[in-house]
Amino acid sequence: MSLRGRMTAALFAAAVAAFATPAWAQNYHIGALLPNSGPMTQFGQLFGNGADLAADHINADKMLSKPFVIDHEDSQGQPQPAVTGMNKLVRVNEEPVVLTAQSGVSKAVAPIGEREHVVTINGGGVAPDLAKLGPYFFNVIPLVNYEVRALVPYLAKEKKFKRIAIVYVEDPLGEACLNELKENAPKNGMELVGAFSVPSTSRQFAPIAAKVREVKPDVVFVAYYGQTMVALVKQLRDAGVDALVLGCTHYPMLAPLLGRIMGPSVRLIDSARETARELARVIGAAGLEAPPDASPVQRWIATDDAARFARVGSLFMGNAPAPVEVVELGTAEMSAERLEPNR
């Protein structure tokens, strides 16, 4: 099993070890609410296959005392079908944890999770307001506001770009990207020269590509997704775009494909990679960078059984984390001072 596979499986095991309800006492189970039809089908299949692969590893390695099962429902990538699917997972199947994706879907189902005390884990939506969906909602990927705030200074200072345009999908993700660019581009000496919205169901992008060419941007920020992404980037290429920002956390998975489509003359800029570079720069500027020969200081905190945490942790870290401090979720004051390693 790869390191990523071991990490995914271990995290699943740690998350579900405490969740076995009487209704399904013969196994451990969680739900997955992903787009298995509609424009986001490819991403839904990708996420779903990854979750099922993790479950297979958990069961093959006998990481839990009973079989681990993922029950899938189709969100169709739309809020209303997602609410129907979430209600079935929570009220009929009695799932204690539900995996989800997409910003609009996440915001639609989060109130159900909070009302029913069901943990909802978002692995795909990146709209900034997902950070405020309540105590039962967790994001496991960076939200787009943090990525844009790190990416724009890089584009301005390192790449010397002055003019930026955005092509964005008409949903909370696209609107969040647009708002962040409106705020952060001027702060960094850049001009937002064009903002072009595209319905998620669109199949024709030639008019948008022509409008992008008219405003003559130095770089185009694309906040779009779905099965028609390939058609969009092809038409941007044909319109003369030579620098393309991958403005969504899903895009690194598609970077090889997009690179082949756009050709060697078009620069692909990975927002996640540039966010990491900007973080390194900020840490260095603040004097928080550790010396190259420094030994790491680690502190392990768990909300479950310490022995189980150590056993699962050893599967992907090599050595068991120790010592492990146990805290109670909801009662511990998880402040920065409390989490600071003892030095």
Side-chain angles (χ1 to χ4, degrees):
M1 189 192 312
S2 68
L3 175 60
R4 178 174 292 185
R6 290 197 300 271
M7 290 180 66
T8 304
L11 288 171
F12 266 120
V16 305
F19 298 113
T21 62
W24 286 36
Q26 70 273 22
N27 56 39
Y28 294 106
H29 61 97
I30 65 173
L33 184 62
L34 302 170
N36 297 320
S37 63
M40 286 291 287
T41 299
Q42 290 177 324
F43 288 108
Q45 291 174 345
L46 182 66
F47 296 154
N49 290 343
D52 289 338
L53 179 62
D56 290 342
H57 284 309
I58 289 171
N59 292 325
D61 294 344
K62 301 187 184 303
M63 297 170 66
L64 300 172
S65 59
K66 292 179 287 189
F68 175 49
V69 176
I70 301 179
D71 184 30
H72 292 266
E73 286 293 326
D74 183 9
S75 71
Q76 301 179 32
Q78 300 295 329
Q80 187 55 53
V83 168
T84 301
M86 183 70 168
N87 280 322
K88 180 179 178 182
L89 290 171
V90 170
R91 296 175 179 173
V92 178
N93 297 352
E94 300 183 5
E95 307 292 355
V97 176
V98 174
L99 309 178
T100 188
Q102 298 180 268
S103 301
V105 165
S106 295
K107 290 195 285 187
V109 303
I112 301 174
E114 182 170 359
R115 183 175 64 246
E116 303 294 334
H117 296 179
V118 170
V119 174
T120 306
I121 301 176
N122 163 47
V126 293
D129 50 1
L130 298 187
K132 303 175 182 179
L133 294 187
Y136 287 87
F137 189 89
F138 294 85
N139 299 294
V140 294
I141 58 174
L143 301 181
V144 73
N145 51 325
Y146 297 111
E147 291 192 343
V148 172
R149 292 170 195 174
L151 178 63
V152 171
Y154 169 82
L155 296 175
K157 297 173 185 177
E158 300 296 329
K159 296 297 183 181
K160 310 301 182 184
F161 292 145
K162 296 295 184 182
R163 297 167 60 84
I164 187 170
I166 180 174
V167 178
Y168 65 98
V169 64
E170 294 177 349
D171 75 353
L173 164 65
E175 293 166 4
C177 291
L178 174 62
N179 291 334
E180 286 295 328
L181 281 181
K182 283 181 176 178
E183 179 179 351
N184 288 279
K187 291 180 181 179
N188 290 275
M190 297 185 72
E191 180 185 1
L192 180 60
V193 296
F196 309 102
S197 63
V198 182
S200 61
T201 56
S202 181
R203 294 292 185 271
Q204 296 296 325
F205 304 102
I208 293 294
K211 291 179 180 179
V212 171
R213 180 172 55 194
E214 288 175 1
V215 299
K216 299 179 180 180
D218 297 323
V219 61
V220 178
F221 189 103
V222 178
Y224 193 75
Y225 52 73
Q227 296 170 324
T228 56
M229 167 60 73
V230 171
L232 171 59
V233 297
K234 278 183 177 179
Q235 294 185 39
L236 289 174
R237 176 201 62 192
D238 295 342
V241 169
D242 60 5
L244 190 67
V245 177
L246 306 181
C248 183
T249 51
H250 310 132
Y251 288 170
M253 297 181 290
L254 299 176
L257 172 62
L258 296 177
R260 291 194 299 271
I261 294 170
M262 298 300 284
S265 62
V266 178
R267 288 170 289 177
L268 295 182
I269 301 171
D270 183 347
S271 59
R273 186 181 299 275
E274 304 315 328
T275 298
R277 289 180 180 174
E278 179 68 8
L279 175 61
R281 186 195 66 78
V282 171
I283 289 175
L288 299 175
E289 197 171 28
D293 57 348
S295 298
V297 177
Q298 299 174 337
R299 185 176 180 187
W300 305 97
I301 297 177
T303 58
D304 195 8
D305 180 76
R308 180 188 291 115
F309 180 90
R311 184 172 66 255
V312 171
S314 67
L315 294 174
F316 58 93
M317 289 184 292
N319 297 317
V324 178
E325 178 184 354
V326 178
V327 298
E328 291 186 16
L329 188 64
T331 60
E333 185 64 32
M334 302 298 281
S335 64
E337 292 79 10
R338 179 176 178 80
L339 293 176
E340 175 118 6
N342 295 321
R343 300 188 181 275

